[in-house]
């Protein structure tokens, strides 16, 4: 990046999100739970409304006007999403319910065909349960072994150890692109390069990265990239699997049913081409079209401007929280390789109590193990408070968070 | 809804100065409770004599102020109580937390301070975890007698 991206117009952006203009417990809502789910701009809500009010129809078979329009918009959404992550072809984007379904699709359709007894799959100690449990299930089915790349106390992957973990039976690397607990951004391009040198494909869990930083699947050269729509301003129940065309051509479908076949005989069938082969049954048409509108919204703001805005807020939050007595921020302490997911603990106050006290101030955060129990064990904490940022958050909201945490600590200290 | 309904002085006192926290060397009922949703863990240690009276009780584990205070209040109430009386206390506590029954201070003692948790639905599980765990421990003790060791997970 040469010139810094233009600053985003926060006032205009906030006005695009109706949910933000409300009071919670008689305080202005401060929404800092974006790693769990993001809010929805009017542009996406309007797109869903227009779909249901004017052209709700099933796709790919109707001979009528509504169906033709729904089909066109659904496929246009696929092109938008493909463009957003710079896929070479739109048909390399398979719509799924979200990241979890995308990872499970690969574990089933690809994993069952390529992973055998005695094989290895490399994961890291950072993973969310959705990029962990599907591989445990695959390993159990096929008699394979999961091996975990170690991380530093800040959550950085040990690349040297990683490079040494490849063996003749290593079949896949499945790794997060950004930790949903520590915010640490993994060196995905380097991870893929090392795997490629060993002839091993890579799946990236990009649920936390796609919404917040430019993800170019061709530049990363990843084989599989999974992400969710609802974390990138889209509706729930829609997400995508990007996979290289050659893999998708070779893989068997996961779901048999309507739309995914070419011909069906009594005892066997042949599959439709890409991407229909992997989208059996009526898909989430409205959701996909809504996701298309969501990525358009992010692109109009500019993903680099989003990253820069969040980096500034993250630096501010790291500085303010670290300044508080008894507050410990986990993960990297600057934004060189971290995004706006900030986990912390408060001495003498359990994360759930911090969460409840912040909620009383109108501040929404998450507290708990964040669906990453092995990582929490590694970090030696049972739970953390997690504040996570997005493009519509303001410096003032970061200040409110720090003040709320200080008040929570004082409340417990006083009693 | 006020935050003071949740964090009453009695609760904060039990959280910061838990009664009967620690292990019990000669316990004959040891039971662990686990809430997978939030990661709270509690381990109860009871010594119940042949007459069915709780001679001693203690707890270890970790969790939020509500779960820790609730467990402290419960173990303190258990000592000296017969198993049958204790079942009545558990029923009364669960009725207050889960069915909206009026708090009965004669029956529940400090336990009535947890009434305010009802206004915070996501925190109710924090308050009842140790009571559910105790109930299972008593059931197992009554059914099998002798040494009881169990692990229980909330759903």
């Amino acid at each position: 990046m040469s010139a810094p991206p233009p600053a985003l117009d926060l006032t205009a952006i906030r006005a695009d999100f109706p949910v933000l203009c409300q009071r919670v417990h008689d305080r202005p809502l401060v929404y800092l739970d974006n790693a769990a789910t993001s809010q929805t701009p009017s542009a996406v809500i309007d797109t869903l409304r227009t779909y249901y009010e004017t052209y709700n129809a099933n796709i790919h078979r109707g001979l009528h006007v509504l169906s033709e329009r729904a089909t066109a918009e659904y496929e246009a959404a696929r092109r938008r999403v493909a463009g957003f992550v710079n896929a070479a072809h739109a048909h390399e984007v398979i719509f799924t319910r979200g990241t979890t379904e995308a990872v499970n699709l690969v574990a089933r359709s690809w994993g069952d065909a390529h992973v055998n007894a005695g094989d290895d799959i490399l994961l890291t100690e950072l993973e969310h349960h959705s990029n962990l449990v599907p591989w445990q299930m695959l390993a159990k089915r096929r008699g394979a072994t999961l091996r975990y790349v170690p991380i530093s106390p800040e959550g950085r992957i040990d690349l040297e150890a990683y490079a040494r973990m490849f063996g003749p039976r290593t079949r896949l690397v499945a790794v997060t692109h950004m930790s949903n607990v520590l915010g640490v951004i993994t060196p995905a391009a380097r991870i893929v390069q090392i795997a490629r040198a060993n002839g091993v494909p890579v799946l990236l869990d990009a649920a936390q990265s796609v919404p917040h930083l430019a993800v170019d699947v061709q530049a990363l050269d990843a084989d599989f990239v999974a992400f969710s729509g609802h974390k990138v301003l889209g509706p729930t129940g829609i997400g995508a699997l990007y996979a290289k065309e050659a893999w998708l051509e070779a893989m068997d479908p996961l779901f048999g049913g309507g739309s995914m076949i070419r011909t069906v005989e009594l005892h066997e069938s042949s599959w439709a081409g890409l991407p229909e082969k992997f989208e059996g049954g009526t898909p989430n048409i409205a959701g996909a079209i809504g996701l298309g509108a969501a990525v358009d919204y992010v692109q109009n703001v500019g993903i680099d401007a989003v990253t820069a805005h969040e980096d500034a807020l993250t630096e501010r939050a790291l500085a303010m929280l670290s300044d508080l007595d008894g507050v410990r921020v986990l993960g990297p302490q600057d934004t060189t390789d971290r995004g706006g997911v900030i986990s912390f603990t408060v001495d003498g106050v359990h994360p759930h109590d911090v969460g409840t006290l912040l909620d009383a101030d109108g501040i929404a955060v998450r507290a708990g193990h964040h669906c990453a129990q092995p990582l929490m064990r590694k970090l030696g904490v049972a739970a953390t408070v997690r504040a996570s940022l997005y493009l519509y958050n303001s410096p003032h909201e970061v200040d409110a968070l720090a003040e709320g945490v200080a008040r929570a600590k004082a409340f417990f200290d006083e009693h | 809804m006020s935050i003071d309904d949740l964090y009453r002085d009695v609760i904060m006192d039990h959280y910061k100065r838990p009664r009967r926290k620690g292990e019990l060397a000669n316990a004959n009922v040891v039971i662990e409770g686990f809430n997978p949703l939030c990661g709270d863990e509690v381990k109860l240690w009871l010594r119940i004599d042949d007459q069915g009276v709780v001679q001693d009780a203690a707890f270890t584990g970790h969790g939020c102020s509500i779960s820790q205070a609730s467990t402290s209040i419960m173990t303190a109430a258990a000592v000296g109580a017969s198993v049958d009386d204790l079942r009545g206390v558990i029923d009364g506590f669960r009725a207050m937390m889960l069915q909206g029954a009026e708090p009965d201070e004669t029956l529940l003692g400090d336990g009535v301070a947890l009434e305010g948790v009802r206004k915070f639905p996501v925190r109710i599980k924090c308050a009842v975890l140790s009571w559910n765990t105790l109930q299972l421990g008593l059931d197992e003790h009554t059914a099998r007698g002798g040494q009881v060791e169990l692990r229980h997970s909330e759903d």
Side-chain angles (χ1 to χ4, degrees):
Chain A
M1 251 186 300
S2 44
L8 43 76
D9 182 348
L10 198 52
T11 311
I13 285 173
R14 290 187 66 85
D16 289 336
F17 291 81
V19 79
L20 297 178
C21 313
Q22 66 176 298
R23 295 175 75 81
V24 168
H25 303 315
D26 212 27
R27 305 283 192 91
L29 168 66
V30 175
Y31 186 78
L32 299 176
D33 195 16
N34 294 288
T37 201
S38 60
Q39 297 301 342
T40 317
S42 298
V44 171
I45 299 168
D46 293 346
T47 299
L48 297 174
R49 175 184 296 274
T50 304
Y51 167 76
Y52 280 115
E53 286 185 350
T54 60
Y55 65 98
N56 175 34
N58 213 329
I59 53 170
H60 291 150
R61 41 187 164 255
L63 291 168
H64 52 83
V65 169
L66 268 53
S67 176
E68 276 172 21
R69 180 162 176 214
T71 304
E73 295 287 352
Y74 181 78
E75 290 307 327
R78 192 191 310 279
R79 288 192 295 277
R80 289 189 174 98
V81 174
F84 189 59
V85 296
N86 196 33
H89 310 284
H91 62 246
E92 291 176 320
V93 169
I94 307 300
F95 283 124
T96 63
R97 278 191 298 139
T99 305
T100 299
E101 186 180 299
V103 174
N104 277 276
L105 195 164
V106 177
R108 284 277 177 184
S109 290
W110 185 91
D112 282 351
H114 290 87
V115 175
N116 293 300
D119 287 348
D120 285 346
I121 299 167
L122 297 190
L123 308 176
T124 80
E125 293 175 332
L126 284 172
E127 304 311 316
H128 185 284
H129 295 166
S130 62
N131 194 32
L132 207 164
V133 180
W135 306 117
Q136 289 177 346
M137 293 164 72
L138 171 66
K140 205 162 263 181
R141 280 199 304 278
R142 309 296 301 174
T145 304
L146 304 183
R147 302 179 66 210
Y148 289 88
V149 183
I151 55 168
S152 74
E154 293 78 33
R156 295 190 175 97
I157 287 174
D158 183 340
L159 275 180
E160 284 180 17
Y162 164 67
R164 286 194 305 267
M165 287 173 76
F166 287 87
R169 306 298 302 268
T170 307
R171 291 289 171 258
L172 180 75
V173 174
V175 58
T176 184
H177 193 196
M178 190 205 284
S179 164
N180 72 305
V181 176
L182 300 174
V184 62
I185 298 165
T186 60
R190 189 78 192 110
I191 286 169
V192 175
Q193 213 174 31
I194 292 168
R196 191 72 66 230
N198 287 277
V200 175
V202 176
L203 176 139
L204 272 190
D205 169 1
Q208 298 294 344
S209 60
V210 159
H212 304 283
L213 42 122
V215 172
D216 179 332
V217 294
Q218 292 187 78
L220 290 172
D221 195 28
D223 298 85
F224 305 101
V225 180
F227 53 97
S228 297
H230 68 97
K231 293 192 202 289
V232 56
L233 311 181
T236 53
I238 189 74
L241 170 69
Y242 158 83
K244 285 184 176 174
E245 183 182 51
W247 284 127
L248 290 174
E249 293 285 7
M251 280 157 62
D252 274 335
L254 177 59
F255 300 119
S259 300
M260 51 72 71
I261 44 80
R262 182 158 285 129
T263 57
V264 176
E265 307 290 342
L266 283 179
H267 297 287
E268 58 186 315
S269 301
S270 60
W271 313 138
L274 298 178
E276 287 80 14
K277 182 168 89 174
F278 293 99
E279 294 182 0
T282 298
N284 183 349
I285 302 165
I289 295 170
L291 175 55
V295 300
D296 266 4
Y297 183 91
V298 177
Q299 276 184 314
N300 284 339
V301 174
I303 188 73
D304 290 335
V306 171
T307 309
H309 175 73
E310 291 175 20
D311 279 355
L313 293 182
T314 303
E315 296 278 3
R316 187 182 185 98
L318 291 174
M320 293 187 83
L321 290 170
S322 302
D323 260 3
L324 298 175
D325 224 22
V327 173
R328 185 167 75 95
V329 178
L330 287 77
Q333 301 298 308
D334 63 61
T335 54
T336 337
D337 60 349
R338 79 168 291 155
V341 178
I342 302 154
S343 267
F344 58 94
T345 57
V346 183
D347 282 353
V349 196
H350 191 276
H352 285 156
D353 292 315
V354 178
T356 294
L357 288 164
L358 288 176
D359 178 61
D361 287 340
I363 302 169
V365 296
R366 182 84 173 260
H369 56 60
H370 316 298
C371 298
Q373 289 176 6
L375 173 60
M376 303 301 277
R377 260 176 237 123
K378 167 85 179 186
L379 297 170
V381 291
T384 69
V385 187
R386 183 187 73 184
S388 49
L389 306 161
Y390 211 174
L391 76 170
Y392 37 66
N393 288 126
S394 69
H396 172 72
E397 291 180 313
V398 170
D399 300 352
L401 169 70
E403 286 156 19
V405 171
R407 259 199 306 280
K409 175 117 178 39
F411 181 87
F412 268 71
D413 285 348
E414 279 160 21
H415 277 79
Chain B
M1 185 186 81
S2 157
I3 209 73
D4 296 324
D5 288 334
L6 186 66
Y7 298 113
R8 293 191 185 158
D9 290 345
V10 174
I11 291 176
M12 295 302 275
D13 184 54
H14 274 275
Y15 174 56
K16 298 198 118 181
R17 285 166 288 276
R19 326 297 197 259
R20 324 208 73 83
K21 183 131 192 196
E23 302 186 357
L24 201 63
N26 48 359
N28 56 355
V29 175
V30 180
I31 177 161
E32 286 177 87
F34 177 57
N35 184 347
L37 210 66
C38 63
D40 281 2
E41 280 178 329
V42 62
K43 191 169 187 177
L44 304 177
W45 314 68
L46 305 172
R47 194 172 77 249
I48 302 175
D49 68 16
D50 295 342
Q51 281 71 49
V53 175
V54 178
Q55 289 297 336
D56 210 348
F59 76 100
T60 55
H62 59 84
C64 65
S65 61
I66 303 303
S67 80
Q68 295 295 289
S70 183
T71 311
S72 170
I73 289 167
M74 185 190 77
T75 43
V79 177
S82 73
V83 168
D84 287 344
D85 289 347
L86 203 44
R87 286 186 193 284
V89 180
I90 296 171
D91 288 347
F93 183 79
R94 288 172 48 87
M96 176 183 80
M97 294 306 300
L98 304 171
Q99 281 125 40
E102 279 300 308
D104 179 347
E105 192 161 3
T106 326
L107 182 67
L108 301 177
D110 280 356
V112 297
L114 290 152
E115 175 211 357
V117 180
R118 295 189 301 199
K119 294 181 189 164
F120 298 77
V122 295
R123 305 299 298 274
I124 289 174
K125 278 197 165 203
C126 312
V128 297
L129 169 66
S130 56
W131 298 75
N132 290 344
T133 306
L134 176 63
Q135 173 147 26
L136 284 167
L138 296 181
D139 288 351
E140 194 68 11
H141 176 76
T142 306
R144 296 198 305 122
Q147 196 76 16
V148 170
E149 287 200 34
L150 264 185
R151 185 168 163 85
H152 146 72
S153 181
E154 301 270 312
D155 292 314

